[in-house]
Amino acid sequence: MTITLTYFDIEGVAEPVRLALLLTKTPFEDHRIKFPEWSALKPTTPFGVLPVMTLEENGPMRSQSKALLRYIGTTYNASPSSYNLYPADKLLDIEEAIGVVEDMNTSFSPALYIGMNPTRFGHPEGYGKTEEGQAKIRTMREAWITSELPKWLGFLETMLTKNGGTFLVGGDTPTDCVAIAALRNFTRGHLDYVNPECLAGHPTIVQYIQTFCALPEIQGKYTDGVH
Ligand SMILES: N[C@@H](CCC(=O)N[C@@H](CS)C(=O)NCC(=O)O)C(=O)O
C-alpha cells in the first residue's frame, strides 16, 4: 500500500491529514507541489482542489480533507503502536470539538481571505497590495484576534479543563489533528498582522500545543509556532 497525499507546500487544510497519518504511523508520501504546477494538475483532480490522496500507486484520487481525515482515523488505527484517533466512545466529543474549531476558522475567514482573495469581498484583484487594502486587512485581522479569538480559545480551554487538561477530548492519547493545525495558523507568523504571540495569554492552550508537539511522532516536525 503506497499512500500519496498531494497538496501545496504549506500546512493549510492538509495539515490535519498529515498529522493523522503520522499519529497512526501510516507510511505515506508527502507530495508537496509548487504553485506553478497546479494549473496542469487542477483539471485532473475530482473537484479542482487539493489535497488529494491516493491509497495505492496509480489509484483514484480521493478528495476533501475532512473525509480523508475521518477515513484515516477509522481505517488506520488497527496497529497496536498507532493511536486510535477515532474511538467510538469519543465520537461525539471529537465531532463536537471539530465543529467548534471549524466555526472558529469560519469566523476568522473574512479577515484571512480579504488578503488572499479580495474579489470574493467585492474588492478588485490586487486590493491587498494597495495601501487601503493593507489597512483593511490589518484592521480586520487585529480586531478579530483581539475581540473574537479569546472566545474560541475559551471554548477549547473549557474542553481541556473538563477532560483533564491534556488533550481536547481527554485521555492520554491525541485526537486533536484539526485543532492543533488551526491553532498553529495563529502562531506561525505567516499571516500579516497576526501576532505569533497571540496565544501567550492562554497558558492552558499553549501547554496543550506543547504537549501535542512533544509526542514522539510529531517531535521535530515543527520549527515555528511552537510555544
Ligand atoms: N473542502 C476542501 C477545500 C479544499 C480547498 O479549498 N483547497 C484549496 C487550497 S486550501 C485549493 O486547492 N485551492 C486551489 C484552487 O481552488 O484552485 C478540503 O477540505 O479538502
Side-chain angles (χ1 to χ4, degrees), residues 5-7 13-14 17 49-53 62-65 68:
L5 179 70
T6 302
Y7 191 59
V13 294
V17 184
V49 287
L50 293 179
V52 292
M53 191 167 95
R62 305 309 305 256
S63 191
Q64 292 299 333
S65 61
L68 303 177

Side-chain angles (χ1 to χ4, degrees), residues 9-11 15 180-181 183-191 196-197 209 213 218 220-227:
D9 189 13
I10 56 174
E11 293 188 17
E15 194 62 9
I180 293 294
L183 291 168
R184 280 183 49 72
N185 202 29
F186 301 117
T187 60
R188 286 164 45 217
H190 68 303
L191 294 176
E197 296 303 318
I209 300 171
C213 291
I218 308 298
K221 174 173 167 57
Y222 298 126
T223 53
D224 61 359
V226 182
H227 282 83

Side-chain angles (χ1 to χ4, degrees), residues 140-155:
M140 287 178 73
R141 289 188 183 170
E142 288 182 350
W144 192 89
I145 294 291
T146 305
S147 319
E148 290 296 314
L149 180 61
K151 177 182 86 178
W152 298 103
L153 296 180
F155 292 150

